[in-house]
Amino acid sequence: MRFTAVFHDPDGRITSVQNNATENVIGTRSYIKADFDGDPDDFYVADGEVRPKSDKPSDAHVFDYSSASWGLDINEARNQAWSRIKTDRESEEFSTFIWNSHTFQCDQLSQSRIMSAVQSAQIDSALTIVWTLSDNTTVNLNATELKQVGQALSAHIDACHTKARGLRSQIDAATTEVDLNAIKW
């Protein structure tokens, strides 16, 4: 007689499913006979039957087979919160910054161009450049102003990283998912 065998650990974790199993093939491994269709990760075994897990609350939750419920892995939740903050930091770092009422782009290419202009200004104190701002207007910048723009860019980047470090401290101190969700860029 053929049947579906659901193999499981003593805690109820399904380790594998064998369709068209027979008693002589199974051996001594712990299993139950069950109608089973689905991903074994979405089910567990309790009281001799296959049961569906409830919906996973977040990617940072792990299933506790002894209580048949989801529990928060605080370290994973912290890692996810830190990844979210790093993404937000990068978004701000590579957006725009303001110097002397002018808004400059500061994506990676723009940062490179600004730093190249600053180097040129250090070499040639008589340098003047027409710079295109983030709104496509232009401004004439002399060597001193170009250096100030470079300093403003550096301050902008430093402010983004300083803010992220402060948020990282909050993440490390958080003990609940509510605490972590409250930490915003």
Side-chain angles (χ1 to χ4, degrees), residues 2-180:
R2 297 193 178 276
F3 57 92
T4 299
V6 177
F7 298 91
H8 59 91
D9 290 340
D11 64 2
R13 180 186 322 264
I14 296 175
T15 57
S16 65
V17 176
Q18 184 177 348
N19 295 314
N20 295 318
T22 60
E23 295 290 343
N24 62 351
V25 173
I26 301 272
T28 60
R29 293 172 49 202
S30 181
Y31 72 94
I32 61 170
K33 295 178 182 177
D35 289 328
F36 185 82
D37 185 26
D39 184 344
D41 289 339
D42 295 334
F43 296 86
Y44 66 102
V45 173
D47 300 324
E49 59 183 63
V50 176
R51 297 183 179 177
K53 294 177 183 175
S54 60
D55 290 338
K56 188 174 184 178
S58 78
D59 287 340
H61 282 77
V62 292
F63 194 76
D64 179 353
Y65 291 90
S66 63
S67 67
S69 63
W70 293 99
L72 180 68
D73 178 339
I74 191 67
N75 290 324
E76 179 58 26
R78 286 178 182 139
N79 289 337
Q80 290 176 10
W82 178 234
S83 291
R84 176 177 42 86
I85 293 300
K86 288 192 304 184
T87 298
D88 292 344
R89 177 194 67 202
E90 186 174 296
S91 180
E92 185 167 325
E93 179 180 347
F94 296 112
S95 61
T96 60
F97 70 98
I98 296 174
W99 171 82
N100 199 24
S101 302
H102 300 295
T103 303
F104 290 79
Q105 292 174 291
C106 60
D107 55 77
Q108 288 181 328
L109 182 57
S110 296
Q111 286 186 26
S112 177
R113 288 176 178 155
I114 290 168
M115 296 319 295
S116 177
V118 169
Q119 287 178 334
S120 294
Q122 290 173 332
I123 294 168
D124 181 2
S125 61
L127 179 70
T128 299
I129 292 179
V130 178
W131 199 269
T132 303
L133 301 170
S134 67
D135 64 359
N136 281 332
T137 60
T138 60
V139 62
N140 290 327
L141 299 172
N142 63 34
T144 300
E145 292 169 326
L146 284 168
K147 292 174 193 174
Q148 291 170 354
V149 169
Q151 290 171 335
L153 171 61
S154 292
H156 166 76
I157 293 168
D158 182 57
C160 292
H161 285 266
T162 298
K163 181 177 180 177
R165 284 191 298 273
L167 294 173
R168 178 61 189 250
S169 294
Q170 291 177 35
I171 289 168
D172 290 344
T175 58
T176 68
E177 189 173 25
V178 171
D179 294 343
L180 289 169

